[in-house]
Amino acid sequence: CAEGQPLVMDIDYVARTLTWSSGATTTITEDTTRPYLFSDLRLDLTSSGTLTQNLKNVQLTVANNLQTPLYIDADRTIGTPIPVNRDYRLTATFNADSTNIKPFYDQYFRGGSTFNFLVSAVVAAASRTISITGSAAYIVEMNQPKQREGVEEFTITVAPKVITAVESGLVYKYNPT
């Protein structure tokens, strides 16, 4: 998600069948609730309670990498998915300042320290929130700091070992018109 944009989630899934509801549906009604926006987003990269300032862009990728066997049998349906190596990545781009780049580079990137992170967004307290937590994370890629004038933009790629997400409130489709 980039500055000024709504948060977007793309989902790829494996299924034999799909049911839109647990009950009978007569029509699907589009939700008109305001979507989560970039301005609602908060990022705490070290779970220290200090938010990462100057955030410009953030992207979270969760890939469970399931193999779907297609056995030759009477049903000709997919077999039970087989999980292979999971791939979790958080990529954040922000303008550097003296409080964030040195510890990220020295302690977490070069030093190899692990940490937890929290990505959250709140539209309406206690009713429309997202909380995504990454545990035992480490920085796998980062620009090397350089001394120069002006503002330097940094991109950090973080790989957590475990990721969890909780969202309250559903927006099925965002349509600004």
Side-chain angles (χ1 to χ4, degrees):
C1 180
E3 292 178 282
Q5 299 296 314
L7 272 65
V8 177
M9 180 174 19
D10 295 322
I11 299 176
D12 294 329
Y13 58 90
V14 175
R16 289 185 184 175
T17 61
L18 181 64
T19 304
W20 286 101
S21 166
S22 60
T25 27
T26 53
T27 62
I28 297 175
T29 306
E30 185 174 335
D31 193 345
T32 57
T33 309
R34 179 179 82 76
Y36 294 100
L37 301 175
F38 184 80
S39 58
D40 301 323
L41 195 64
R42 302 290 177 260
L43 175 63
D44 177 1
L45 268 181
T46 59
S47 287
S48 63
T50 305
L51 298 175
T52 304
Q53 302 297 317
N54 309 322
L55 185 65
K56 298 176 72 174
N57 191 344
V58 66
Q59 179 180 359
L60 177 67
T61 304
V62 177
N64 285 328
N65 298 325
L66 298 174
Q67 290 180 349
T68 52
L70 296 171
Y71 301 117
I72 299 176
D73 59 12
D75 292 341
R76 298 218 177 250
T77 59
I78 64 170
T80 302
I82 302 166
V84 292
N85 294 335
R86 293 179 176 157
D87 185 21
Y88 306 137
R89 292 287 187 266
L90 174 80
T91 303
T93 302
F94 53 94
N95 289 336
D97 64 28
S98 60
T99 63
N100 57 18
I101 285 307
K102 186 161 179 45
F104 288 156
Y105 188 77
D106 289 344
Q107 182 179 351
Y108 299 111
F109 183 60
R110 283 188 40 214
S113 295
T114 60
F115 55 93
N116 300 327
F117 67 80
L118 173 66
V119 179
S120 61
V122 177
V123 172
S127 64
R128 295 213 41 238
T129 61
I130 293 177
S131 295
I132 302 169
T133 306
S135 301
Y138 56 96
I139 296 177
V140 294
E141 189 176 336
M142 180 180 177
N143 306 45
Q144 183 174 358
K146 298 178 180 84
Q147 288 187 344
R148 63 179 174 182
E149 293 182 16
V151 177
E152 189 169 358
E153 183 177 280
F154 275 83
T155 300
I156 293 177
T157 302
V158 176
K161 290 192 179 189
V162 177
I163 197 157
T164 59
V166 177
E167 194 270 341
S168 65
L170 298 173
V171 175
Y172 291 108
K173 181 179 175 185
Y174 173 64
N175 186 359
T177 57

